Amino acid sequence: MSTYFPQISAPIAYEGPKSANPLAFRWYDANRVVRGKTMAEHFRFSVAFWHTFKGSGADMFGPAAWTREWNTGSPMQMAEQALRANFEFCQKLGAPYYCFHDRDIAPEGATFAESCKNLDAIVAQAKALQQETGVKLLWGTANLFSNPRYTHGAGTNPDVHAFAYAAAQVKHALEATHELGGQNYVFWGGREGYETLLNTDYKQEQEQFARFLQLAVDHKKKIGFTGQFLIEPKPKEPTKHQYDFDTATVLSFLRAHGLFEHFKINIEANHATLAGHTFEHELTVAAAEGKLGSIDANQGDVLLGWDTDQFPSDLYATAAAMTVVLQQPGGIGSGGFNFDAKCRRGSNDALDLFYAHIGGMDAFARGLLVADKLIEEKALSAFVAERYASWKSPLGQEILAGKSSSDALEAWVLEHGEPTPKSGRQEMLEIVRNDYLLG
Ligand code: XLS
Ligand code: NI
Ligand code: NI
């Protein structure tokens, strides 16, 4: 195999918290067992092909700023080289999975047929490389947002021609994912939303979108794809208002259209904050319904309001996230932690890709250890359980069992008078949390 990362001669090793080597793990020890599972099993870390191998450092104010050795030659040569770089990178990093969009692993052709042909050729090579390296596909997806044909959306496009094109593209991307043994397939509604209601039939677009997803559900069954379908909410960007706004919105949409059983949620940290929530909030909403399917592990910047897709380094956020994941039966299940994240424009060296992923994996591993201890010692949960203890009383049990009535509650209040608010002890709990994070 050719070498795109000659600076890294051996797989990144676990050296422990005292290590001074930035090219080593301090916390992520793949074989360490936590709550009956190895760290590798808890996380199922994945490299996002688009950022890591197609990212160029370009932004709104400047073009590509990075030179990547695999980005030379014809579009198909570049695709083959980037693919090889991906497998070399995953192996050296120790990431067991990768994720892709159809159009970032293979170039768009002059016609739909040519695009399919390009994708099939790359999929055949990816299959061989997966076998050779043992690196697997966490999920595939279709890019339904970059090409100008999707300017007004894909499944929600006012032109049925564009809808049909998008459906055909999803069919092919799903088949590619199936061929590669992908464990999930993701729907991120890149331009499924609107810029202005002046030209938009909201109800019509909602119905179209449900049909779009149903077509994929039907095709999944037809080809025997047993992977999990995931929807990735995001409130805005690129459109002003996107239909998959947040987890609660998506779950309600799925219920309303008879699609609930077919999908779980892929939660991206930066999308959560764009929606005005925390990462932990979105994970909690999904897990409450057993719908936390997978995670796009990144973070935003509190001083910038957009999807900056930074690598995760905030230990408060990773510890909170892992507390939710650990408490969902089966944890992340057949999903994983995909680094949908990119280096800053100034981090222009291919080595930065290693630092970025190592830092992200360590941030989550450390979060896992903190969460494990918090849960084990009931550091927060004992307080929460006590806070709700009155619901265990006969009155609480009757209400929850649906055996109470407004009349009965009125009589009860007349007899018992005023409730007394107890302290929620937020500041005390923040001290406890800090003890665990720093301890
Ligand atoms: C964009 C999304 C995208 C999805 C996959 O903001 O995060 O990268 O994860 O289409
Ligand atoms: Ni994402
Ligand atoms: Ni994103």
Side-chain angles (χ1 to χ4, degrees):
M1 212 191 244
S2 59
T3 290
Y4 291 105
F5 303 100
Q7 315 91 317
I8 308 293
S9 49
I12 302 298
Y14 170 74
E15 290 184 5
K18 297 215 159 54
S19 172
N21 174 11
L23 285 170
F25 294 116
R26 283 153 179 66
W27 302 95
Y28 179 67
D29 181 0
N31 299 317
R32 176 166 174 186
V33 175
V34 179
R35 298 184 97 75
K37 269 158 72 167
T38 64
M39 282 197 176
E41 288 164 343
H42 274 290
F43 291 114
R44 301 157 55 83
F45 281 124
S46 160
V47 171
F49 195 93
W50 53 100
H51 286 309
T52 305
F53 304 103
K54 293 284 135 177
S56 65
D59 66 15
M60 302 270 261
F61 300 94
W66 305 336
T67 314
R68 300 293 196 223
E69 277 183 47
W70 53 87
N71 274 339
T72 53
S74 70
M76 276 306 270
Q77 271 167 349
M78 280 196 269
E80 287 165 17
Q81 289 159 189
L83 195 70
R84 284 202 296 277
N86 171 61
F87 284 95
E88 182 189 340
F89 183 80
C90 289
Q91 263 197 318
K92 288 186 169 171
L93 177 66
Y97 294 96
Y98 71 110
C99 293
F100 66 75
H101 295 93
D102 51 0
R103 299 297 180 252
D104 51 58
I105 53 165
E108 180 123 18
T111 61
F112 181 71
E114 197 178 306
S115 299
C116 291
K117 203 172 131 229
N118 289 349
L119 183 58
D120 293 345
I122 293 296
V123 163
Q125 293 183 36
K127 198 172 181 181
L129 286 164
Q130 285 185 190
Q131 267 153 16
E132 200 178 301
T133 60
V135 174
K136 298 188 284 281
L137 178 63
L138 183 66
W139 50 260
T141 187
N143 178 329
L144 304 176
F145 43 90
S146 295
N147 190 287
R149 80 174 71 85
Y150 298 128
T151 299
H152 300 294
T156 60
N157 199 298
D159 181 358
V160 70
H161 190 155
F163 177 104
Y165 202 111
Q169 192 180 326
V170 167
K171 168 190 170 332
H172 208 81
L174 181 56
E175 288 166 0
T177 303
H178 184 38
E179 172 69 12
L180 292 173
Q183 306 196 2
N184 305 267
Y185 183 88
V186 164
F187 295 83
W188 170 59
R191 292 184 195 271
E192 312 293 23
Y194 63 81
E195 287 298 323
T196 171
L197 287 172
L198 290 173
N199 62 14
T200 302
D201 185 339
Y202 174 87
K203 192 164 189 289
Q204 157 81 19
E205 294 201 1
Q206 292 280 297
E207 278 162 21
Q208 279 178 221
F209 196 37
R211 290 312 309 157
F212 189 72
L213 296 175
Q214 184 65 54
L215 287 166
V217 167
D218 294 345
H219 196 66
K220 174 187 193 215
K221 199 168 168 208
K222 184 177 171 200
I223 63 176
F225 177 65
T226 53
Q228 189 169 256
F229 269 6
L230 300 167
I231 295 191
E232 182 177 324
K234 186 177 184 182
K236 53 190 161 193
E237 280 187 36
T239 55
K240 183 180 79 174
H241 180 96
Q242 294 196 185
Y243 296 135
D244 295 334
F245 193 93
D246 61 2
T247 300
T249 310
V250 170
L251 291 176
S252 150
F253 173 86
L254 292 171
R255 271 203 185 89
H257 295 276
L259 291 161
F260 195 72
E261 64 180 290
H262 301 294
F263 293 86
K264 284 192 178 179
I265 309 293
N266 182 38
I267 292 176
E268 178 163 323
N270 204 164
H271 295 183
T273 49
L274 266 184
H277 301 310
T278 59
F279 185 25
E280 181 186 9
H281 168 94
E282 285 292 87
L283 296 168
T284 302
V285 173
E289 305 222 36
K291 289 287 186 185
L292 170 50
S294 202
I295 286 175
D296 269 9
N298 65 8
Q299 72 182 35
D301 186 313
V302 282
L303 301 184
L304 305 171
W306 61 91
D307 196 12
T308 58
D309 282 341
Q310 284 164 238
F311 276 86
S313 65
D314 177 347
L315 298 179
Y316 279 107
T318 60
M322 292 317 297
T323 307
V324 182
V325 173
L326 282 182
Q327 291 179 100
Q328 175 170 265
I332 205 64
S334 62
F337 287 67
N338 170 50
F339 289 108
D340 192 354
K342 60 188 178 206
C343 289
R344 299 304 87 192
R345 182 171 163 91
S347 307
N348 55 6
D349 191 316
L351 206 53
D352 289 309
L353 297 173
F354 278 94
Y355 293 132
H357 284 85
I358 290 168
M361 289 160 85
D362 265 351
F364 270 97
R366 196 167 177 189
L368 170 72
L369 296 174
V370 170
D372 173 43
K373 204 156 176 258
L374 271 168
I375 294 170
E376 197 54 41
E377 297 177 4
K378 299 192 168 43
L380 301 171
S381 61
F383 181 85
V384 175
E386 176 55 29
R387 195 163 178 240
Y388 291 85
S390 68
W391 285 92
K392 297 256 189 295
S393 69
L395 175 72
Q397 292 297 298
E398 258 173 43
I399 295 171
L400 290 176
K403 290 184 182 147
S404 192
S405 67
S406 300
D407 286 340
L409 293 179
E410 185 187 37
W412 197 91
V413 167
L414 286 170
E415 192 189 334
H416 291 84
E418 279 293 320
T420 317
K422 283 192 197 147
S423 173
R425 298 266 185 260
Q426 180 172 336
E427 295 77 6
M428 181 199 80
L429 295 170
E430 285 166 355
I431 294 173
V432 173
R433 180 183 56 176
N434 272 2
D435 284 347
Y436 278 77
L437 269 166
L438 303 174

